[in-house]
Amino acid sequence: MKPPIGVVGLGIMGLAIAKNAQKAGFQVFVSNRSAVKREIAKREGLSVVNSPMEVAERAQAIIIMVTDPAAVEDVLTGRDGIFSSKNIKGKTLIQMSTIDEKSTLEFSESTNKNGMVYIDCPVAGSKKQVEEAQLILLAGGMKADLLKWDDLFKAIGKAVVHAGPVGKGSALKLCMNLIVAQMTTALCESVALAKVQDLNPEKIFEVIKQSPALNCGYFQIKEKTLLEENYSPAFSLKNMLKDVRFMDAVARQKKLPIPVTQAVKFLMEGALTEGLGDFDLTSISALLKPAGKK
Ligand code: NAP
């Protein structure tokens, strides 16, 4: 018998994780702050309960997949949060939202004080990979704690990379997203440069597909998005900007120059000001137009 698990946060990532865990035979209890996503989850056949506390009451391991550290804090310590449950001792918290290492260490400490095991477990992969249970789990924690949940990890992902102790999963996730942020900007700028030269941007993707060096899954996924200029989110601009800000903060603290990432941050902050936060991160393209053109 597989143990019951929980998922708190049913956005792009959390909903698909919950569905895949249920498909693999886990009993899954889910909750979400807003009613809209709770209704969607019900229609998808998931067992929706009223709060993170109720999820914690019923599950042996609770996955958190929300936006940022403030959201994780709410889920843990807010009204009817996980720590309000009297039935959490010995259970495992698997924190999958992308947050910084410092917050991770703070959450780990408070989780341990509440008698729970903490696994730091952000994920690599976006909408397509999560829906196909092909995530890569970037785990920080004790190997024995990870092994205990190996069946669950296999149900939602294709690999677990053990980054080190708690905190290092989150540190690794920032390194990976630095690459994604820059690849996105490179592709968007390349398409913009094609357009101002009256060159069909499809030609860029034709070359990419023939090039062993450049033909990667990420560029393939973003081809349709960019050519059709349809920026419905696979990964929202505001969530990537959150991560770029974490990178910037770590680099500043360690006195490490990361000038290209800082330029990406500037561009994404401009896009956020333009109201593009809830669109896909490739919507930065809307800003890459010749001066005077909308
Ligand atoms: P999303 O679709 O925007 O969903 C965010 C979720 O967080 C929603 O369920 C939202 O609930 C919840 N939330 C936000 N603030 C909250 C609060 N204060 N209290 C409780 N719940 C709160 O985001 P996503 O794309 O699933 O991403 C989730 C996390 O995974 C983020 O940290 C993101 O950076 C990371 N990530 C995303 C991708 C990707 O490609 N999408 C890939 C890897 C990692 P409401 O419905 O109430 O707003």
Side-chain angles (χ1 to χ4, degrees), residues 88-205:
I88 50 175
K89 292 222 171 1
K91 294 185 174 180
T92 302
L93 193 76
I94 306 176
Q95 204 305 106
M96 291 193 167
S97 330
T98 305
I99 60 171
D100 57 316
E101 184 173 4
K102 185 170 168 284
S103 309
T104 298
L105 293 175
E106 288 165 10
F107 292 136
S108 163
E109 195 182 338
S110 56
T111 301
N112 293 156
K113 274 193 188 142
N114 278 280
M116 299 179 81
V117 172
Y118 189 97
I119 299 179
D120 166 29
C121 198
V123 302
S126 192
K127 191 171 189 296
K128 181 174 189 294
Q129 291 74 29
V130 71
E131 286 173 356
E132 294 174 359
Q134 292 290 301
L135 291 174
I136 305 166
L137 308 172
L138 314 180
M142 305 274 282
K143 269 204 172 137
D145 294 335
L146 303 182
L147 271 180
K148 185 172 170 195
W149 295 103
D150 200 45
D151 276 357
L152 175 60
F153 294 151
K154 285 201 174 98
I156 62 175
K158 66 170 181 181
V160 179
V161 174
H162 185 208
V166 167
K168 297 308 168 199
S170 292
L172 176 58
K173 174 64 186 167
L174 284 195
C175 299
M176 302 319 297
N177 266 14
L178 183 149
I179 300 171
V180 176
Q182 295 192 8
M183 282 171 75
T184 306
T185 318
L187 198 61
C188 293
E189 285 191 358
S190 175
V191 167
L193 190 64
K195 286 180 181 169
V196 293
Q197 296 180 100
D198 296 323
L199 170 71
N200 185 342
E202 281 175 17
K203 296 292 160 193
I204 296 170
F205 293 95

Side-chain angles (χ1 to χ4, degrees), residues 29-40:
F29 296 98
V30 299
S31 76
N32 191 80
R33 179 182 61 175
S34 71
V36 181
K37 293 191 182 71
R38 290 200 298 270
E39 285 310 313
I40 294 172

Side-chain angles (χ1 to χ4, degrees), residues 10 12-13 32-34 37 66-67 74 98 125-126 234 242:
L10 301 171
I12 295 172
M13 303 299 283
N32 191 80
R33 179 182 61 175
S34 71
K37 293 191 182 71
V66 292
T67 315
D74 280 351
T98 305
S126 192
K242 151 186 71 75

